[in-house]
Amino acid sequence: MTSEPIRLYYDFTDPLSWLVGHEVERWAGTSGVSVSWIGVEQNPPPNPLLGADEEQVVRQWDEALTAGEPVLSRPTLPFVPWTRKAHELVRLAEAEGDPAKTRREIFAAYLSRGEDIGRVDVLVELARSLGFDRTHAKAVLDVDRFEAAVAEATASALARGIHETPSLEWRGKKLSGFHDPGTVLTFLGT
Protein backbone atom coordinates (compact mmCIF):
# COMPACT_ATOMS: atom_id res chain seq x y z
CA MET A 1 0.00 0.00 0.00
CA THR A 2 1.04 3.57 -0.62
CA SER A 3 2.17 5.26 2.55
CA GLU A 4 -0.11 8.26 2.07
CA PRO A 5 -3.81 7.50 2.43
CA ILE A 6 -6.54 9.36 0.64
CA ARG A 7 -8.19 11.61 3.20
CA LEU A 8 -11.97 11.58 2.82
CA TYR A 9 -13.78 14.22 4.87
CA TYR A 10 -17.41 13.29 5.42
CA ASP A 11 -20.49 13.85 7.54
CA PHE A 12 -23.24 11.31 8.12
CA THR A 13 -26.14 13.54 7.15
CA ASP A 14 -24.55 14.36 3.80
CA PRO A 15 -25.71 11.84 1.17
CA LEU A 16 -23.03 13.15 -1.16
CA SER A 17 -20.35 12.05 1.33
CA TRP A 18 -21.69 8.51 1.12
CA LEU A 19 -21.69 8.56 -2.69
CA VAL A 20 -18.15 9.91 -3.01
CA GLY A 21 -16.94 7.60 -0.24
CA HIS A 22 -18.37 4.59 -2.04
CA GLU A 23 -16.59 5.57 -5.27
CA VAL A 24 -13.28 6.27 -3.51
CA GLU A 25 -13.40 2.97 -1.60
CA ARG A 26 -14.07 1.06 -4.82
CA TRP A 27 -11.11 2.72 -6.55
CA ALA A 28 -8.81 2.32 -3.53
CA GLY A 29 -9.68 -1.37 -3.28
CA THR A 30 -8.31 -2.00 -6.74
CA SER A 31 -5.36 0.40 -6.44
CA GLY A 32 -3.77 -0.61 -3.14
CA VAL A 33 -4.31 2.80 -1.58
CA SER A 34 -5.85 3.17 1.86
CA VAL A 35 -8.64 5.60 2.67
CA SER A 36 -8.66 7.59 5.88
CA TRP A 37 -12.25 8.56 6.67
CA ILE A 38 -12.27 11.78 8.68
CA GLY A 39 -15.60 12.62 10.24
CA VAL A 40 -16.38 16.31 10.45
CA GLU A 41 -19.49 18.00 11.69
CA GLN A 42 -21.05 20.23 9.05
CA ASN A 43 -23.31 21.82 11.62
CA PRO A 44 -21.92 21.31 15.14
CA PRO A 45 -23.78 22.31 18.27
CA PRO A 46 -24.54 24.87 19.57
CA ASN A 47 -25.58 25.90 16.04
CA PRO A 48 -29.32 25.44 15.58
CA LEU A 49 -30.43 22.30 13.79
CA LEU A 50 -30.92 22.75 10.06
CA GLY A 51 -34.42 22.27 8.72
CA ALA A 52 -34.88 19.49 6.19
CA ASP A 53 -36.38 22.09 3.84
CA GLU A 54 -33.38 24.45 3.91
CA GLU A 55 -31.86 25.16 0.50
CA GLN A 56 -28.48 23.49 1.07
CA VAL A 57 -30.11 20.33 2.48
CA VAL A 58 -32.61 20.07 -0.38
CA ARG A 59 -29.81 20.68 -2.91
CA GLN A 60 -27.65 17.89 -1.41
CA TRP A 61 -30.52 15.41 -1.53
CA ASP A 62 -31.64 16.42 -5.01
CA GLU A 63 -28.10 15.95 -6.30
CA ALA A 64 -27.69 12.61 -4.53
CA LEU A 65 -31.01 11.24 -5.72
CA THR A 66 -30.30 12.43 -9.26
CA ALA A 67 -27.14 10.31 -9.16
CA GLY A 68 -29.52 7.35 -9.21
CA GLU A 69 -28.41 5.61 -6.02
CA PRO A 70 -31.25 3.23 -5.12
CA VAL A 71 -30.37 2.80 -1.42
CA LEU A 72 -30.86 6.46 -0.58
CA SER A 73 -34.16 7.65 0.75
CA ARG A 74 -34.79 11.27 1.72
CA PRO A 75 -35.39 11.23 5.50
CA THR A 76 -38.80 12.32 6.72
CA LEU A 77 -37.39 14.05 9.79
CA PRO A 78 -38.24 17.77 9.73
CA PHE A 79 -34.64 18.59 10.72
CA VAL A 80 -31.09 17.41 10.05
CA PRO A 81 -29.67 15.85 13.23
CA TRP A 82 -26.40 16.89 14.78
CA THR A 83 -23.83 14.20 14.06
CA ARG A 84 -21.38 14.55 16.96
CA LYS A 85 -22.62 11.45 18.80
CA ALA A 86 -22.56 9.41 15.58
CA HIS A 87 -18.93 10.42 15.03
CA GLU A 88 -18.23 9.55 18.67
CA LEU A 89 -19.63 6.05 18.05
CA VAL A 90 -17.18 5.63 15.16
CA ARG A 91 -14.37 6.68 17.53
CA LEU A 92 -15.51 3.97 19.93
CA ALA A 93 -15.44 1.49 17.04
CA GLU A 94 -11.91 2.61 16.17
CA ALA A 95 -10.89 1.76 19.72
CA GLU A 96 -12.94 -1.40 20.21
CA GLY A 97 -14.66 -2.59 17.07
CA ASP A 98 -14.96 -2.29 13.31
CA PRO A 99 -15.05 1.40 12.29
CA ALA A 100 -15.82 0.71 8.62
CA LYS A 101 -18.85 -1.43 9.47
CA THR A 102 -20.00 1.08 12.09
CA ARG A 103 -19.69 3.93 9.60
CA ARG A 104 -21.69 2.00 6.97
CA GLU A 105 -24.44 1.24 9.48
CA ILE A 106 -24.72 4.84 10.66
CA PHE A 107 -24.93 6.04 7.07
CA ALA A 108 -27.62 3.43 6.37
CA ALA A 109 -29.55 4.37 9.51
CA TYR A 110 -29.91 7.96 8.32
CA LEU A 111 -29.65 7.84 4.53
CA SER A 112 -31.77 4.73 3.95
CA ARG A 113 -33.99 4.38 7.00
CA GLY A 114 -34.30 8.04 8.04
CA GLU A 115 -33.39 7.43 11.70
CA ASP A 116 -32.46 10.31 14.00
CA ILE A 117 -28.75 9.58 14.39
CA GLY A 118 -28.38 12.53 16.74
CA ARG A 119 -30.16 10.60 19.49
CA VAL A 120 -28.08 8.55 21.90
CA ASP A 121 -30.78 5.88 22.28
CA VAL A 122 -30.84 5.32 18.50
CA LEU A 123 -27.05 5.06 18.38
CA VAL A 124 -26.95 2.72 21.37
CA GLU A 125 -29.33 0.32 19.63
CA LEU A 126 -27.24 0.54 16.49
CA ALA A 127 -24.09 -0.17 18.56
CA ARG A 128 -25.81 -3.16 20.18
CA SER A 129 -26.72 -4.53 16.75
CA LEU A 130 -23.03 -4.25 15.83
CA GLY A 131 -22.01 -6.34 18.84
CA PHE A 132 -21.11 -3.62 21.32
CA ASP A 133 -22.19 -3.98 24.91
CA ARG A 134 -25.27 -1.76 25.20
CA THR A 135 -24.43 -0.40 28.66
CA HIS A 136 -20.84 0.37 27.72
CA ALA A 137 -21.81 2.13 24.47
CA LYS A 138 -24.41 4.23 26.31
CA ALA A 139 -21.92 5.18 29.00
CA VAL A 140 -19.28 6.20 26.44
CA LEU A 141 -21.77 8.36 24.52
CA ASP A 142 -23.33 9.83 27.68
CA VAL A 143 -20.00 10.99 29.13
CA ASP A 144 -18.77 12.47 25.84
CA ARG A 145 -15.65 10.28 25.92
CA PHE A 146 -14.76 11.12 22.30
CA GLU A 147 -16.33 14.59 22.03
CA ALA A 148 -12.96 16.38 22.08
CA ALA A 149 -11.56 14.09 19.37
CA VAL A 150 -14.56 14.75 17.11
CA ALA A 151 -14.33 18.52 17.67
CA GLU A 152 -10.58 18.38 16.99
CA ALA A 153 -11.11 16.53 13.70
CA THR A 154 -13.53 19.24 12.57
CA ALA A 155 -11.16 22.03 13.66
CA SER A 156 -8.21 20.33 11.97
CA ALA A 157 -10.16 19.96 8.72
CA LEU A 158 -11.01 23.66 8.77
CA ALA A 159 -7.36 24.52 9.42
CA ARG A 160 -6.41 22.42 6.37
CA GLY A 161 -8.83 24.41 4.20
CA ILE A 162 -11.63 21.84 4.18
CA HIS A 163 -14.92 23.75 4.38
CA GLU A 164 -17.44 21.27 3.03
CA THR A 165 -18.21 17.61 2.78
CA PRO A 166 -17.44 15.56 0.92
CA SER A 167 -13.85 16.61 0.35
CA LEU A 168 -10.82 14.62 -0.70
CA GLU A 169 -7.20 15.35 0.01
CA TRP A 170 -4.40 13.35 -1.53
CA ARG A 171 -0.85 13.94 -2.72
CA GLY A 172 -1.03 17.61 -1.78
CA LYS A 173 -4.23 18.27 -3.75
CA LYS A 174 -7.82 18.82 -2.69
CA LEU A 175 -11.16 18.15 -4.32
CA SER A 176 -14.08 19.71 -2.48
CA GLY A 177 -17.76 19.06 -2.89
CA PHE A 178 -19.64 16.48 -4.88
CA HIS A 179 -18.31 15.54 -8.30
CA ASP A 180 -19.30 12.90 -10.81
CA PRO A 181 -17.37 9.61 -10.65
CA GLY A 182 -15.26 10.57 -13.68
CA THR A 183 -13.97 13.71 -11.97
CA VAL A 184 -13.26 11.81 -8.76
CA LEU A 185 -11.37 9.13 -10.68
CA THR A 186 -9.41 11.75 -12.59
CA PHE A 187 -8.45 13.38 -9.28
CA LEU A 188 -7.35 10.04 -7.84
CA GLY A 189 -5.46 9.08 -10.98
CA THR A 190 -3.28 12.18 -10.98
Side-chain angles (χ1 to χ4, degrees), residues 7 9-12 37-45 47 83-85 87-88 91 146-165:
R7 292 172 170 262
Y9 299 89
Y10 73 96
D11 199 6
F12 286 115
W37 288 74
I38 302 166
V40 295
E41 298 173 277
Q42 287 194 98
N43 184 42
N47 292 332
T83 57
R84 179 166 295 168
K85 292 297 176 186
H87 289 298
E88 286 183 42
R91 293 296 179 131
F146 296 106
E147 178 181 22
V150 172
E152 172 57 30
T154 300
S156 178
L158 288 170
R160 295 178 74 89
I162 304 298
H163 298 285
E164 65 181 305
T165 61

Side-chain angles (χ1 to χ4, degrees), residues 107-124:
F107 268 125
Y110 183 70
L111 300 177
S112 295
R113 300 188 303 269
E115 296 175 19
D116 183 351
I117 60 168
R119 291 180 46 173
V120 170
D121 61 325
V122 170
L123 293 170
V124 167

Side-chain angles (χ1 to χ4, degrees), residues 38-39 64-65 88 94 103 122 131 138 164 174 181:
I38 302 166
L65 293 170
E88 286 183 42
E94 288 170 354
R103 210 174 22 256
V122 170
K138 182 167 179 7
E164 65 181 305
K174 294 181 181 109

Side-chain angles (χ1 to χ4, degrees), residues 65-146:
L65 293 170
T66 299
E69 188 59 43
V71 300
L72 297 177
S73 178
R74 195 182 304 260
T76 58
L77 296 171
F79 59 89
V80 178
W82 286 318
T83 57
R84 179 166 295 168
K85 292 297 176 186
H87 289 298
E88 286 183 42
L89 181 56
V90 170
R91 293 296 179 131
L92 175 61
E94 288 170 354
E96 302 176 14
D98 182 342
K101 185 175 182 180
T102 302
R103 210 174 22 256
R104 281 191 305 271
E105 288 302 314
I106 295 170
F107 268 125
Y110 183 70
L111 300 177
S112 295
R113 300 188 303 269
E115 296 175 19
D116 183 351
I117 60 168
R119 291 180 46 173
V120 170
D121 61 325
V122 170
L123 293 170
V124 167
E125 282 308 308
L126 189 117
R128 186 198 56 72
S129 75
L130 291 166
F132 288 93
D133 176 78
R134 183 178 213 277
T135 303
H136 176 64
K138 182 167 179 7
V140 166
L141 294 175
D142 280 347
V143 300
D144 304 324
R145 179 171 158 195
F146 296 106

Side-chain angles (χ1 to χ4, degrees), residues 13-16 50-66 74-75 77-78 80 110:
T13 57
D14 176 11
L16 303 173
L50 295 173
D53 59 351
E54 290 190 35
E55 183 181 338
Q56 76 182 59
V57 175
V58 171
R59 187 175 57 248
Q60 280 179 328
W61 274 100
D62 287 349
E63 200 165 359
L65 293 170
T66 299
R74 195 182 304 260
L77 296 171
V80 178
Y110 183 70

